[in-house]
Amino acid sequence: MTVFSQTEAPLTAAQIEEFEKSIGLEFPMPYKEHLLKYNGGQCVPNVFVFEEASVETSSSVDWFLALYDGDSDSLRETVETYKLEEKRMPSHMLPIAHDPGGNLICISCGTKDYGFVYFWNHEDEVDYSEAGDDDYSNLYLIARDFDTFLNSLMTEDD
């Protein structure tokens, strides 16, 4: 079971809906439920694995992003930086957390892979003002849904 700490004030469904409308995305229900229960924060366990270039790789969730007015680990600020100011990821991807190295964990709000969770590697960035939203060359599948992602988190000792 994943335990969360250092979360922000709880959200209402109306606050989530308002943010969804402001950025033009509909969040998958498991992620919405997560935001209602835990608005950001750190979690234990926090290590996840994914395949990058046919090699099993691991990273960890440093912080889940919170929907609040602060700057640190803010979902709003991260969306503005990575999606609105610069198109650094496909338009249907939503950053939901980051690892200690500045990479992002994202959830798809697109139709073909709705709810899938990905690792976004900042070292292999794609300029999405030139590339199409189907360019996933720096995105690596972690899980096919948010609950599976949370349930697959491990400690470093596992």
Side-chain angles (χ1 to χ4, degrees):
M1 178 176 171
T2 307
V3 177
F4 284 83
S5 63
Q6 302 183 58
T7 60
E8 294 297 328
L11 296 172
T12 65
Q15 288 172 305
I16 296 169
E17 274 183 46
E18 180 182 320
F19 185 66
E20 286 175 310
K21 286 179 185 175
S22 75
I23 63 171
L25 295 175
E26 183 178 333
F27 303 168
M29 187 54 70
Y31 179 62
K32 285 184 196 184
E33 291 168 351
H34 171 78
L35 283 174
L36 289 168
K37 191 171 182 179
Y38 309 107
N39 185 14
Q42 292 190 302
C43 67
V44 174
N46 68 340
V47 176
F48 58 91
V49 296
F50 58 97
E51 193 172 294
E52 182 177 11
S54 301
V55 176
E56 185 174 278
T57 306
S58 67
S59 187
S60 61
V61 176
D62 188 33
W63 283 93
F64 273 89
L65 303 173
L67 189 53
Y68 77 120
D69 290 331
D71 293 331
S72 203
D73 305 309
S74 165
L75 179 57
R76 184 174 283 110
E77 291 289 322
T78 303
V79 166
E80 285 179 18
T81 299
Y82 290 86
K83 297 181 64 58
L84 303 177
E85 292 172 7
E86 297 178 48
K87 288 191 68 175
R88 296 172 69 181
M89 61 183 56
S91 61
H92 58 275
M93 283 294 163
L94 176 71
I96 61 171
H98 62 79
D99 77 353
N103 300 297
L104 297 171
I105 295 88
C106 302
I107 194 165
S108 175
C109 299
T111 54
K112 77 174 186 167
D113 57 353
Y114 188 73
F116 286 26
V117 179
Y118 293 92
F119 177 82
W120 178 86
N121 187 337
H122 76 280
E123 293 184 23
D124 296 322
E125 276 201 57
V126 174
D127 181 355
Y128 285 96
S129 62
E130 295 178 11
D133 280 344
D134 58 345
D135 185 337
Y136 278 40
S137 58
N138 72 328
L139 291 161
Y140 303 95
L141 182 65
I142 301 170
R144 295 191 176 272
D145 62 69
F146 186 73
D147 290 336
T148 300
F149 169 63
L150 289 181
N151 291 330
S152 69
L153 293 174
M154 307 171 284
T155 62
E156 285 192 34
D157 300 332
D158 289 344

